[in-house]
Amino acid sequence: MSVSEMFAALQGALGQDQDIREEIRKVVQALEQTAREILTLLQGVHQGPGFQHIPKKCQKAREHFGTVRTQMESLKTKFPADQYYRFHEHWRFVLQRLVFLAAFVVYLESETLVTREAIAEILGIEADRERGFHLDIEDYLSGVLTLASELARLAVNSVTAGDYSRPLRISAFINELDSGFRLLNLKNDSLRKRYDGLKYDVKKIEEVVYDLSIRGLNKEATAGAGGEK
């Protein structure tokens, strides 16, 4: 084979690779649009009347996740199954965003932390690497850390809306989450930096709880803790 033939073959391989990336990019753009729609929907809970409509907003968000599952099925067909990590960077950000959104929905519904397996089911992908297109552990953890920041914001807005018990529940949840992350030996630099930000979320929520305490509103919140969340 001549040099020109060798490079012609290489150009063919590069062209095929570029075609794959372009097909992936199109599906990822659709996923990003769906994620924006879900985020816009859920941002309504931060507004005053938003707490009254949490169940309806969560139900609507789950309908959007049906679209996500369809888009994920399309994404799976755009690249060879054994080359997940070769193209992972293309969908890593949107996948982390979708993890956060799914975790936020589950928290709003039950005030619990969703498992990686449950997130994978919501998104229509696998939890186990061996089974193909899957939810990477670090992507799951990144999404959970974004959830912590969103809950810190929710704690502040809850007080504004006159819901004094919610910040106490959020505080308990975030402290438990922080304890869980302390069990991990994080090596990934990006994930480690994001985890370092969790302490600021913890501090922010503690300040909200402290403010409630000095204003005597924590007693009111505790008295109503047995009521509707």
Side-chain angles (χ1 to χ4, degrees):
M1 182 181 292
S2 67
V3 172
S4 60
E5 289 174 334
M6 289 173 58
F7 275 84
L10 291 174
Q11 176 57 39
L14 289 173
Q16 291 178 357
D17 188 77
Q18 186 59 39
D19 289 344
I20 291 175
R21 294 180 186 278
E22 179 61 24
E23 289 299 311
I24 291 174
R25 186 185 65 82
K26 292 177 181 178
V27 181
V28 168
Q29 284 183 333
L31 280 167
E32 289 172 342
Q33 177 59 36
T34 305
R36 284 193 292 269
E37 292 172 0
I38 298 173
L39 180 61
T40 299
L41 175 67
L42 294 178
Q43 288 303 294
V45 305
H46 291 287
Q47 301 169 3
F51 295 114
Q52 303 171 15
H53 306 296
I54 284 178
K56 186 179 296 184
K57 290 184 181 296
C58 289
Q59 180 181 358
K60 188 66 177 177
R62 284 191 175 271
E63 293 174 6
H64 281 294
F65 277 111
T67 302
V68 170
R69 287 191 290 274
T70 299
Q71 292 166 339
M72 284 294 185
E73 284 300 321
S74 176
L75 181 58
K76 295 174 188 178
T77 68
K78 303 304 182 184
F79 65 96
D82 61 345
Q83 296 185 23
Y84 176 91
Y85 283 106
R86 181 180 181 186
F87 300 103
H88 177 239
E89 283 298 313
H90 289 279
W91 60 74
R92 179 175 61 88
F93 175 79
V94 70
L95 188 57
Q96 291 175 2
R97 173 62 63 87
L98 289 168
V99 168
F100 149 61
L101 292 171
F104 192 29
V105 169
V106 171
Y107 179 83
L108 291 173
E109 291 174 338
S110 62
E111 298 192 357
T112 60
L113 176 63
V114 66
T115 64
R116 185 164 67 98
E117 291 74 15
I119 288 277
E121 183 177 352
I122 291 172
L123 301 182
I125 58 180
E126 302 293 339
D128 298 327
R129 178 175 180 174
E130 293 75 16
R131 300 183 65 178
F133 195 106
H134 62 285
L135 176 55
D136 185 84
I137 292 177
E138 292 179 354
D139 289 338
Y140 167 74
L141 293 174
S142 293
V144 169
L145 287 170
T146 304
L147 171 67
S149 297
E150 190 73 8
L151 291 181
R153 180 186 171 205
L154 185 62
V156 174
N157 291 329
S158 296
V159 175
T160 303
D163 185 344
Y164 304 131
S165 64
R166 190 178 298 272
L168 303 182
R169 302 196 302 271
I170 290 176
S171 178
F173 176 83
I174 292 297
N175 279 307
E176 188 174 1
L177 193 64
D178 183 45
S179 297
F181 269 94
R182 290 177 186 276
L183 297 175
L184 303 178
N185 183 19
L186 299 175
K187 299 294 186 181
N188 181 289
D189 289 340
S190 175
L191 186 59
R192 178 71 197 188
K193 289 178 181 178
R194 297 194 64 178
Y195 165 63
D196 288 342
L198 180 59
K199 62 184 178 183
Y200 297 107
D201 296 324
V202 172
K203 181 180 179 181
K204 185 176 182 179
I205 297 170
E206 286 178 344
E207 289 175 349
V208 173
V209 173
Y210 176 72
D211 185 58
L212 289 174
S213 177
I214 62 175
R215 292 163 59 189
L217 296 174
N218 62 328
K219 296 179 181 178
E220 177 184 335
T222 303
E228 184 179 354
K229 292 183 180 180

